[in-house]
Amino acid sequence: MKIKYFYAFIIVITICLAFLLLKKPGIDIDAFEELFWFSCTGLLIGYGAQYVSNRLLVVAWGMYCVGLFLDVLDDILSKDTLPLLVADTSLKKIGLILTCVVLYNVIHHERKIIDKLNNEIARRKKLEEKLSFEANHDDLTQLGNRKSCFENFATLSSKYPYLLYFDLDNFKSANDTYGHQTGDTILILISNTLKSEFGNDNCFRLGGDEFVAFSKTSPESIEMLREKLIEHIFEFGVGVSIGIAQVTSKESPDEIMHRADSAMYSDKSHKIIRQRPRT
């Protein structure tokens, strides 16, 4: 409601000034231009002041508007009658300078807020990526976990026609003999070998000492692959059993995984395990 009174005040003042200008003989058209800008500025200030929280900016606008008002009065009254008329240009300049200073501070403050928000967004995005990675990867080996394996099964099986299933032989014994830290080392070493052989995104740890990998080709020799895998872990008395299943579109992921698992158990008789304990 207050804004309506302000609008009415500006309009009444404008009409009064216009009447006085028309009554004054030999008035210049520039005086009406000054009156026009005073009226427009006053109405805009009244409208903008509702949405501006910075009071100094409103004061700066007010000073500029008063300067315009004095500009109009300068065409009606003499400076001897109203000495304040000499301040018209000064008030406009001060109002304009204050407006620029306040707007600069507002922009600077807003940019700091935007930078802070961008940093917060980047932090949240990084946290989401971290949480997503942790939800889909094994914490110890950094391989994809069982959940990730089945979520990506369709995509990977369309590119890689062979699924290889790996199980560590004698792992529990080695873990009990040399300690859990050594057991973790064995799992990390076998994971690193799988990654270098099949690629980071194609290998998964299903849990415990069981792993799977997707491959474009079937290994030429199971024994050669086994030798590569146990190269860094055979001294702990640990071997690897390997099962291979060809992926077909007619079977579900569970069925293909079951065939690979069965083939791995059939391979349990083929072990290359160091007989003497590590010293």
Side-chain angles (χ1 to χ4, degrees):
M1 185 62 91
K2 290 181 180 179
I3 192 63
K4 290 182 179 179
Y5 292 133
F6 182 80
Y7 286 159
F9 173 76
I10 293 294
I11 292 170
V12 169
I13 292 294
T14 301
I15 293 171
C16 291
L17 290 173
F19 178 76
L20 291 173
L21 287 173
L22 289 170
K23 292 276 288 182
K24 191 172 178 65
I27 195 68
D28 196 324
I29 191 67
D30 289 344
F32 286 98
E33 183 181 344
E34 291 168 352
L35 179 60
F36 170 77
W37 288 119
F38 162 74
S39 177
C40 290
T41 304
L43 293 174
L44 286 172
I45 289 173
Y47 178 78
Q50 305 174 86
Y51 307 103
V52 174
S53 59
N54 192 309
R55 296 295 96 186
L56 184 58
L57 183 57
V58 176
V59 170
W61 288 349
M63 291 179 69
Y64 185 78
C65 190
V66 170
L68 290 172
F69 174 70
L70 293 178
D71 253 349
V72 179
L73 283 183
D74 194 25
D75 294 314
I76 300 172
L77 305 172
S78 67
K79 290 183 174 61
D80 293 332
T81 306
L82 186 62
L84 185 61
L85 294 176
V86 299
D88 57 350
T89 303
S90 298
L91 284 172
K92 287 192 293 182
K93 288 181 178 179
I94 293 172
L96 185 60
I97 291 171
L98 277 176
T99 298
C100 293
V101 170
V102 173
L103 288 177
Y104 171 80
N105 288 331
V106 169
I107 292 170
H108 181 68
H109 178 67
E110 293 300 321
R111 287 187 64 181
K112 287 175 68 176
I113 292 176
I114 290 170
D115 289 341
K116 187 176 180 181
L117 288 174
N118 285 336
N119 290 334
E120 180 64 19
I121 290 170
R123 188 187 70 81
R124 285 177 176 271
K125 186 176 180 181
K126 192 172 181 180
L127 178 61
E128 287 174 4
E129 290 174 350
K130 180 175 181 291
L131 292 174
S132 176
F133 183 87
E134 290 176 350
N136 291 282
H137 289 77
D138 174 57
D139 185 55
L140 176 65
T141 63
Q142 302 300 297
L143 289 178
N145 56 19
R146 177 182 289 273
K147 173 178 173 288
S148 178
C149 176
F150 281 95
E151 285 181 352
N152 292 281
F153 202 98
T155 302
L156 290 171
S157 61
S158 65
K159 299 177 183 178
Y160 305 96
Y162 293 95
L163 177 70
L164 283 74
Y165 201 112
F166 306 91
D167 182 79
L168 299 185
D169 303 315
N170 261 13
F171 174 73
K172 186 178 183 305
S173 176
N175 199 41
D176 293 340
T177 302
Y178 304 113
H180 293 296
Q181 188 171 355
T182 298
D184 289 346
T185 300
I186 293 171
L187 293 172
I188 292 171
L189 289 172
I190 194 73
S191 299
N192 291 339
T193 306
L194 287 172
K195 284 188 280 189
S196 64
E197 189 71 21
F198 299 101
N200 289 12
D201 299 328
N202 302 338
C203 305
F204 302 87
R205 182 187 178 193
L206 299 183
D209 58 352
E210 295 181 334
F211 302 83
V212 295
F214 289 85
S215 176
K216 282 190 174 181
T217 58
S218 179
E220 293 182 5
S221 170
I222 292 293
E223 294 306 323
M224 288 178 62
L225 175 60
R226 198 191 321 274
E227 287 176 8
K228 286 183 182 179
L229 294 173
I230 67 172
E231 182 178 355
H232 301 293
I233 62 172
F234 78 95
E235 60 179 315
F236 299 104
V238 176
V240 181
S241 294
I242 304 171
I244 304 172
Q246 188 167 1
V247 177
T248 64
S249 58
K250 296 179 180 179
E251 293 179 296
S252 67
D254 282 327
E255 291 172 326
I256 297 170
M257 194 76 75
H258 178 70
R259 281 200 295 110
D261 184 37
S262 297
M264 179 273 296
Y265 276 107
S266 297
D267 185 57
K268 279 288 183 183
S269 58
H270 301 89
K271 297 183 180 68
I272 301 176
I273 304 176
R274 180 177 173 147
Q275 299 300 318
R276 290 184 297 115
R278 182 170 180 260
T279 57

